[in-house]
């Protein structure tokens, strides 16, 4: 669904960002603006400012900023369309859908109505379960026995489904309504069409989406009946592979603690909240999926998976590793915490204390270590066969990682454990990828699986490619000599220049001839070009990167904001599709300019293009941090907090410039 920019502007003119933010953050008037504690990072002194005149928020601590739409996207984890629809509903506007047919519009409206109706039904059932909990000493005793307080029980909406086959008939007079079956509350016997409640004699855990709407339930038996845990089935509003228990309740704590703890069950989440770790969530009776990981990275850059140390816990962790690998960029952290087999998080904290558990979290196994362990499993590294097996196991894991420093370091480590040179391992995997492509009919060659690291120098041939492949030596001429080839300049492996002479592959690298270039466009133009050409690159960016891009002066900033909205709404799109969506948009001229002409060619190696974007973003971040420092200079003389912020920015600048910081 394409939402006209004119509607977005009208919507933002009607909503009040102070009201929207004020529902989540306690704000106090401070001059012309309102101030509060930033919901995006932990702080004790308010640095989060909301401007009624600009209809904009900005945190002077972490740099988060935006309008009412971006606040709902960042804080509540909504998608762009979801945030727009939420705001439109609050001010009585109908989101236009001029680009779809009347039939599609009618179907979408019916789907939204059904989803709203189903969540209403589930909310009503949840209210009933909460009332029954108060009347059940047995259920209350279970929660008290697990140390759950009334405050935590209320926060998570805990309840109880009493014994009996048709208790919900007293809640829903129309017990035969199809909505009860469609919402998963009632089971219909196919043979005789008789109906009965799905959840009976179980303590109940309502499952909420990021907006706080009830979309399903999890129920736990009080005795020894099977199954021990029972979840709602898949419904139009509930999809196990995309939802996480406790995420709505934990979203603020996740930002305050700086990480999210992913556990195995509902009671783990509730117990951890009771014991001082309200930043925990759980998967819903299914393995952790890439969708789960993707959703979590909308709230934090650090994910810690907590599993039991037994075989089942290891299997669950292995599946979580597969889900996390595509999102493990250099700016994100994924760890795996394995508790002793006799403990879950609740029992561990009760026996050893919160500090001990916090240390366990801090010492959790990094993704890189766990990947190496997974590759080595059942492999005898003392034999050539075992090392070859390990290398074979490692290839799909390593290939799933996005390109970056982590991926390149792991290539080196895997090569060392396999007793291979990193270049030889890359060659081996390049050949395997070419064979895979041939079997699939692609006929591709020289492309590494998942994007092998590009050369250490931008002007050298791809790893595994000969000089002839790269077009530097005439056909039939060996790369070690031959007239015409020996006259080219070379570079040694250590990067030092060497004069003309014969090239030996094992110790020297040729310099690729540079083609004439069109005069370079601005840095921001080039970032626009890369993201319009490769929209999926947005998935890899950190929150700080998004903020810097969207804060650029018009028309660049609005175009980046629009592009993010398209990603949330549709996923990555081709430039041809984006071009059509931009018809009549205020940023159409900019997009058309940067994407036309010879300078707009962005086909090349995807990993090199990602690295190029990373370099642009780092330079833009440096400029933004310098600007913030200049604003703080005038305040630093009389405000210690401003001085501290200035110094923090200086440390960040040094890190971006690659300066090694040494302790004083």
């Amino acid at each position: 669904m394409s939402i006209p920019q004119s509607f977005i502007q009208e919507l933002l003119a009607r909503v009040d960002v102070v009201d929207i933010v004020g529902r989540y953050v306690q704000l106090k008037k401070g001059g012309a603006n309102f101030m509060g504690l930033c919901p995006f990072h932990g702080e004790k002194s308010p640095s989060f400012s909301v401007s009624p005149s600009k209809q904009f928020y900005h945190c002077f601590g972490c740099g988060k900023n935006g309008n009412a739409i971006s606040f709902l996207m960042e804080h509540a984890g909504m998608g762009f369309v979801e945030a727009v629809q939420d705001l439109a509903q609050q001010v009585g506007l109908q989101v236009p859908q001029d680009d779809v047919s009347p039939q599609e519009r009618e179907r979408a409206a019916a789907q939204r109505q059904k989803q709203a109706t189903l969540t209403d039904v589930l909310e009503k059932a949840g209210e009933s379960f909460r009332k029954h909990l108060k009347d059940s000493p047995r259920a209350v005793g279970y929660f008290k026995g697990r140390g759950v307080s009334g405050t935590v029980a209320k926060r998570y909406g805990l309840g109880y489904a009493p014994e009996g086959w048709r208790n919900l008939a007293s809640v829903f007079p129309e017990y035969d309504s199809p909505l009860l079956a469609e919402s998963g509350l009632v089971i219909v016997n196919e043979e005789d069409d008789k109906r009965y409640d799905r959840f009976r004699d179980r303590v109940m855990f309502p499952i909420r989406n990021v907006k706080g709407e009830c979309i399903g339930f999890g129920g736990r038996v009080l005795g020894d009946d099977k199954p021990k845990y029972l979840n709602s089935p898949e419904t139009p509003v509930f999809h196990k592979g995309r939802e996480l228990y406790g995420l709505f309740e934990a979203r603020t704590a996740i930002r305050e603690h700086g990480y999210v703890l992913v556990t195995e069950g509902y009671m783990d989440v509730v117990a951890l909240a009771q014991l001082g770790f309200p930043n925990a969530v759980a998967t819903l009776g299914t393995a952790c999926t890439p969708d789960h990981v993707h959703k979590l990275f909308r709230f934090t850059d650090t994910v810690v998976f907590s599993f039991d140390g037994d075989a089942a816990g290891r299997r669950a962790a292995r599946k979580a590793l597969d889900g996390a690998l595509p999102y493990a960029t250099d700016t994100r952290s994924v760890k795996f915490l394995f508790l002793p087999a006799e403990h879950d998080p609740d029992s561990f904290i009760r026996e050893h204390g919160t500090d001990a558990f916090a240390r366990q979290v801090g010492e959790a196994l990094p993704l890189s270590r766990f990947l190496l362990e997974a590759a080595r499993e059942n492999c005898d590294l003392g034999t050539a066969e075992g090392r070859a097996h390990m290398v074979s196991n490692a290839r799909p894991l390593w290939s799933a990682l996005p390109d970056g420093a982590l991926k390149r370091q792991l290539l080196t480590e895997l090569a060392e454990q396999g007793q291979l040179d990193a270049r030889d391992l890359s060659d081996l995997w390049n050949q395997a990828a070419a064979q895979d492509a041939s079997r699939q009919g692609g006929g591709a060659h020289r492309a590494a699986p998942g994007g092998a690291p590009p050369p250490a120098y931008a002007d050298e041939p791809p790893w595994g490619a000969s000089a002839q492949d790269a077009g530097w030596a005439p056909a039939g001429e060996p790369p070690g000599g031959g007239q015409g080839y020996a006259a080219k300049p070379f570079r040694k492996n250590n990067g030092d220049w060497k004069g003309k002479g014969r090239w030996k592959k094992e110790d020297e690298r040729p310099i690729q001839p540079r083609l004439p270039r069109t005069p370079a466009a601005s840095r921001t133009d080039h970032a626009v070009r890369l993201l319009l050409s490769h929209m999926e690159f947005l998935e890899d960016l950190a929150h700080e990167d998004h903020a810097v891009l969207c804060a650029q002066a018009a028309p660049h900033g609005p175009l980046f904001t629009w592009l993010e909205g398209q990603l949330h709404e549709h996923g990555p799109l081709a430039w041809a599709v984006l071009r059509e969506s931009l018809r009549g948009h205020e940023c159409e001229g900019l997009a058309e300019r940067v994407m036309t002409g010879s300078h707009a060619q962005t086909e090349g190696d995807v990993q090199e293009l990602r690295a190029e974007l990373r370099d642009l973003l780092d330079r833009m971040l440096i400029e933004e941090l310098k600007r913030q420092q200049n604003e703080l200079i005038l305040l630093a003389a009389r405000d210690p907090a401003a001085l501290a912020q200035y110094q923090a920015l200086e440390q960040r600048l040094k890190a971006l410039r690659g300066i090694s910081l040494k302790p004083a």
Side-chain angles (χ1 to χ4, degrees):
M1 181 172 98
S2 177
I3 301 175
Q5 186 66 19
S6 58
F7 176 80
I8 299 298
Q9 292 171 346
E10 181 185 0
L11 177 64
L12 292 175
R14 290 212 192 180
V15 301
D16 186 351
V17 71
V18 177
D19 288 341
I20 303 302
V21 174
R23 294 172 190 170
Y24 302 90
V25 180
Q26 187 174 355
L27 299 173
K28 291 184 179 180
K29 195 79 163 67
N33 299 330
F34 289 81
M35 300 295 296
L37 295 176
C38 180
F40 302 113
H41 79 288
E43 62 177 9
K44 296 181 179 178
S45 299
S47 64
F48 186 74
S49 172
V50 184
S51 169
S53 61
K54 298 179 181 177
Q55 286 295 299
F56 208 72
Y57 64 85
H58 179 79
C59 177
F60 293 96
C62 68
K64 287 282 184 184
N65 57 74
N67 55 32
I69 297 174
S70 62
F71 182 83
L72 290 180
M73 292 171 65
E74 290 282 357
H75 182 65
M78 298 183 189
F80 177 75
V81 173
E82 193 177 8
V84 170
Q85 290 175 335
D86 187 87
L87 291 175
Q89 185 177 7
Q90 294 179 37
V91 295
L93 289 176
Q94 179 68 40
V95 180
Q97 303 177 48
D98 297 335
D99 59 332
V100 297
S101 68
Q103 294 80 8
E104 290 174 328
R105 207 160 39 238
E106 187 176 340
R107 281 196 297 270
Q111 178 70 10
R112 285 196 300 273
Q113 181 59 43
K114 171 160 279 188
Q115 290 176 340
T117 304
L118 289 176
T119 56
D120 286 344
V121 168
L122 291 163
E123 289 283 3
K124 192 173 182 179
E127 183 179 351
S128 172
F129 295 147
R130 289 191 290 274
K131 289 179 180 177
H132 282 300
L133 176 62
K134 298 177 182 178
D135 299 331
S136 173
R138 184 160 158 260
V140 170
Y142 170 79
F143 283 126
K144 283 187 175 180
R146 297 296 299 265
V148 179
S149 68
T151 301
V152 169
K154 182 178 180 180
R155 179 183 174 193
Y156 285 88
L158 305 182
Y160 171 66
E163 295 179 280
W165 292 94
R166 293 168 63 96
N167 276 289
L168 286 177
S170 63
V171 182
F172 301 98
E174 296 182 0
Y175 192 73
D176 291 339
S177 168
L179 289 172
L180 295 180
E182 197 166 358
S183 64
L185 291 170
V186 165
I187 296 174
V188 181
N189 191 313
E190 294 181 359
E191 295 180 359
D192 54 14
D193 204 37
K194 288 186 177 180
R195 294 167 171 254
Y196 57 93
D197 294 353
R198 180 180 299 273
F199 300 102
R200 306 177 304 279
D201 193 24
R202 290 175 180 266
V203 288
M204 300 297 290
F205 302 81
I207 301 163
R208 295 164 171 151
N209 61 20
V210 292
K211 292 194 291 184
E213 299 168 334
C214 184
I215 56 175
F217 292 95
R220 188 196 189 283
V221 296
L222 293 173
D224 297 324
D225 295 341
K226 302 294 181 182
K228 183 178 179 181
Y229 284 99
L230 180 65
N231 290 322
S232 291
E234 295 278 317
T235 71
V237 295
F238 178 51
H239 307 281
K240 297 176 187 178
R242 296 203 296 265
E243 302 296 342
L244 291 149
Y245 175 72
L247 182 58
F248 171 74
E249 293 83 0
R251 66 196 191 287
T252 299
I254 288 170
R255 292 189 173 101
E256 290 175 350
H257 285 70
Y259 69 95
V260 60
L261 191 62
V262 184
T263 62
E264 295 188 76
Y266 309 109
M267 272 309 304
D268 286 334
V269 172
V270 174
L272 282 167
Q274 183 71 53
L275 295 169
F277 294 88
N279 54 323
V281 301
T283 53
L284 298 165
T286 184
C288 187
T289 67
D291 283 340
H292 288 141
V293 179
H294 193 192
K295 180 169 285 191
L296 289 171
F297 277 128
R298 289 161 67 178
F299 292 87
T300 180
D301 287 330
T302 303
V303 177
V304 180
F305 293 101
S306 175
F307 297 104
D308 296 339
D310 56 13
R314 285 274 169 175
R315 286 194 298 272
R318 181 64 179 77
K319 291 177 180 176
L321 173 66
D322 290 336
L325 285 170
Y327 300 102
T329 65
D330 293 344
T331 58
R332 293 169 176 166
S333 172
V334 179
K335 295 183 177 181
F336 295 84
L337 169 61
F338 296 102
L339 295 173
E342 68 273 14
H343 281 301
D344 58 22
D346 181 14
S347 64
F348 185 92
I349 294 173
R350 294 185 186 281
E351 181 171 334
H352 300 286
T354 56
D355 290 343
F357 185 73
R359 284 195 297 273
Q360 290 281 325
V361 171
E363 297 168 1
L365 194 68
L367 175 141
S368 58
R369 298 298 95 195
F370 190 43
L371 184 151
L372 292 170
E373 285 188 8
R376 291 195 300 261
E377 190 173 6
N378 299 323
C379 298
D380 181 4
L381 299 189
T383 67
E385 291 83 355
R387 292 190 294 274
H389 190 185
M390 183 275 294
V391 167
S392 177
N393 291 343
R395 182 190 161 211
L397 299 175
W398 180 86
S399 299
L401 283 166
D403 188 43
L406 174 63
K407 186 170 187 175
R408 299 186 188 200
Q409 290 178 76
L410 279 171
L411 180 72
T412 302
E413 289 197 43
L414 289 165
E416 288 175 354
Q417 295 200 13
Q419 295 188 13
L420 293 166
D421 180 79
R423 189 178 294 267
D424 290 337
L425 180 57
S426 181
D427 287 348
L428 180 66
W429 282 348
N430 285 342
Q431 292 167 11
Q435 291 170 0
D436 290 346
S438 272
R439 282 193 293 269
Q440 295 167 8
H445 64 283
R446 297 205 316 263
Y457 304 105
D459 50 3
E460 72 183 60
W463 287 17
S466 68
Q468 182 175 315
D469 290 333
W472 299 345
E477 183 175 70
Q483 188 176 5
Y485 189 77
K488 297 181 180 289
F490 302 102
R491 173 183 277 160
K492 291 184 179 179
N493 276 343
N494 62 10
D496 295 336
W497 290 100
K498 183 178 176 68
K500 298 176 181 178
R502 293 175 64 83
W503 175 49
K504 295 180 181 178
K505 180 179 177 181
E506 63 270 20
D507 61 9
E508 295 176 0
R509 302 168 179 170
I511 304 305
Q512 184 179 16
R514 296 189 181 277
L515 299 174
R517 289 188 177 180
T518 323
S522 75
R523 186 175 296 150
T524 319
D525 278 352
H526 195 40
V528 169
R529 184 179 305 119
L530 286 169
L531 291 172
L532 287 174
S533 304
H534 302 276
M535 195 175 170
E536 68 275 13
F537 289 3
L538 280 169
E539 302 268 12
D540 303 329
L541 305 187
H543 296 307
E544 187 178 36
D545 299 324
H546 286 282
V548 167
L549 288 173
C550 294
Q552 296 297 306
H556 294 84
L559 180 56
F560 287 125
T561 303
W562 176 85
L563 195 59
E564 280 193 13
Q566 293 294 300
L567 180 70
H568 284 294
E569 183 180 352
H570 302 294
L573 299 172
W575 159 240
V577 179
L578 290 172
R579 178 66 189 87
E580 292 303 313
S581 300
L582 277 165
R583 300 289 179 192
H585 192 278
E586 61 177 317
C587 301
E588 181 182 3
L590 167 64
E592 185 72 7
R593 175 174 62 82
V594 300
M595 292 299 290
T596 54
S598 59
H599 60 277
Q601 301 305 314
T602 54
E603 294 303 322
D605 182 86
V606 173
Q607 284 68 45
E608 291 183 2
L609 294 174
R610 287 182 189 273
E612 196 170 358
L613 178 62
R614 181 69 263 161
D615 181 68
L616 290 169
L617 288 169
D618 286 344
R619 293 173 186 274
M620 293 164 73
L621 282 171
I622 288 172
E623 289 179 357
E624 174 59 17
L625 294 176
K626 284 180 178 178
R627 185 193 65 75
Q628 293 180 27
Q629 277 190 324
N630 290 336
E631 292 180 355
L632 291 168
I633 286 175
L634 298 176
L635 301 174
R638 60 180 185 276
D639 186 356
L643 177 60
Q645 291 177 22
Y646 182 94
Q647 292 171 339
L649 291 176
E650 186 62 24
Q651 296 296 310
R652 180 78 176 107
L653 276 169
K654 288 182 178 179
L656 282 171
R657 291 169 176 150
I659 297 177
S660 176
L661 300 178
K662 298 180 179 179

